[in-house]
Amino acid sequence: MTLTSKALILAASFAAVATTSAFAMEAEADQLAGAVMRELSLRGLPTDSVMDLTIAQIQQLKQIFANSDSSNEMTSAAKSILQRAGQPGQ
């Protein structure tokens, strides 16, 4: 096997791993967004801007739902994040 052949095989291996990793990360992000959308819907909050949220904002919402002491506190914090969704620079 020539050096060029080995390099091509190695490059193909790296490409396959990168593609698999990207797919797994996208699937995880979709699951998180779906969970947040269900939680917002159950709490009577708007869900129309969920797809505009960043991963960090989705994680913040999940944390709020898990750790908020009161419904008012959770609703206020969630609404604040949802209002920022899609705004430039956020």
Side-chain angles (χ1 to χ4, degrees):
M1 204 182 277
T2 67
L3 185 59
T4 304
S5 298
K6 289 180 184 178
L8 286 173
I9 291 170
L10 185 60
S13 297
F14 284 139
V17 169
T19 301
T20 302
S21 296
F23 177 75
M25 287 179 7
E26 185 176 336
E28 185 177 350
D30 288 346
Q31 284 181 324
L32 272 173
V36 165
M37 191 174 290
R38 282 189 299 279
E39 194 71 37
L40 290 169
S41 181
L42 286 172
R43 296 174 187 269
L45 295 168
T47 60
D48 54 339
S49 63
V50 170
M51 299 316 284
D52 296 330
L53 296 171
T54 65
I55 296 295
Q57 289 170 321
I58 290 172
Q59 289 172 334
Q60 283 178 316
L61 285 169
K62 285 294 287 178
Q63 208 167 15
I64 288 166
F65 297 143
N67 299 325
S68 289
D69 292 333
S70 74
S71 181
N72 289 340
E73 177 185 306
M74 183 278 310
T75 300
S76 176
K79 282 182 178 178
S80 175
I81 291 170
L82 292 170
Q83 287 171 350
R84 290 190 312 245
Q87 292 180 358
Q90 296 297 320

